[in-house]
Amino acid sequence: MRQIVDQIINLLQQGITAIFKFVELIWRWSFGQIISTFQSDWQSLPVWKIAVLAIVVVAIVYVLYRAAIELWSAAEQILKAFVGLLMVLVSILPYVLVAGLIAAAGGYVIQHVNF
């Protein structure tokens, strides 16, 4: 049984690692593109390219603002879920304690009571 649980945990770890590597790849590429946009030589560009660059910068700021809002919302939901998980874990403690007491009592009777 322990091997099955270990394999499931290992599979989950590998999946999460792959997801984070993919996310890291996208983040690095995207921020590289954003930085190269902001490092453009504004002074040597014609007026129409400066206008396009300004529109691009405004669009980037808007999209990053939307991403920050969604990230904040997700962080709130994660915190709520974590608090909910902790509440459930605390609420089942009496049942776990009773199960342990029953197992201890049964083990005591099996080992020490003779008829």
Side-chain angles (χ1 to χ4, degrees):
M1 182 67 170
R2 181 170 170 86
Q3 289 177 339
I4 293 172
V5 172
D6 288 342
Q7 287 177 347
I8 290 172
I9 290 173
N10 189 21
L11 180 66
L12 288 173
Q13 287 175 338
Q14 289 175 353
I16 290 170
T17 300
I19 290 170
F20 277 110
K21 284 183 179 181
F22 179 72
V23 168
E24 178 187 12
L25 175 72
I26 298 298
W27 276 71
R28 284 181 185 233
W29 180 84
S30 294
F31 278 104
Q33 297 302 311
I34 292 168
I35 288 170
S36 69
T37 300
F38 284 117
Q39 290 176 343
S40 297
D41 186 18
W42 293 60
Q43 294 155 346
S44 66
L45 295 176
V47 174
W48 71 272
K49 286 187 179 181
I50 292 175
V52 170
L53 187 58
I55 291 170
V56 167
V57 168
V58 169
I60 289 170
V61 169
Y62 173 74
V63 169
L64 290 178
Y65 170 76
R66 295 287 302 168
I69 295 297
E70 289 206 21
L71 185 62
W72 183 261
S73 175
E76 285 179 354
Q77 291 175 351
I78 289 170
L79 182 60
K80 287 178 185 176
F82 184 70
V83 168
L85 174 65
L86 289 178
M87 289 174 51
V88 168
L89 289 175
V90 169
S91 71
I92 65 169
L93 278 177
Y95 299 110
V96 173
L97 180 62
V98 168
L101 290 173
I102 292 170
Y108 179 81
V109 168
I110 289 170
Q111 295 199 3
H112 295 95
V113 176
N114 294 321
F115 290 109

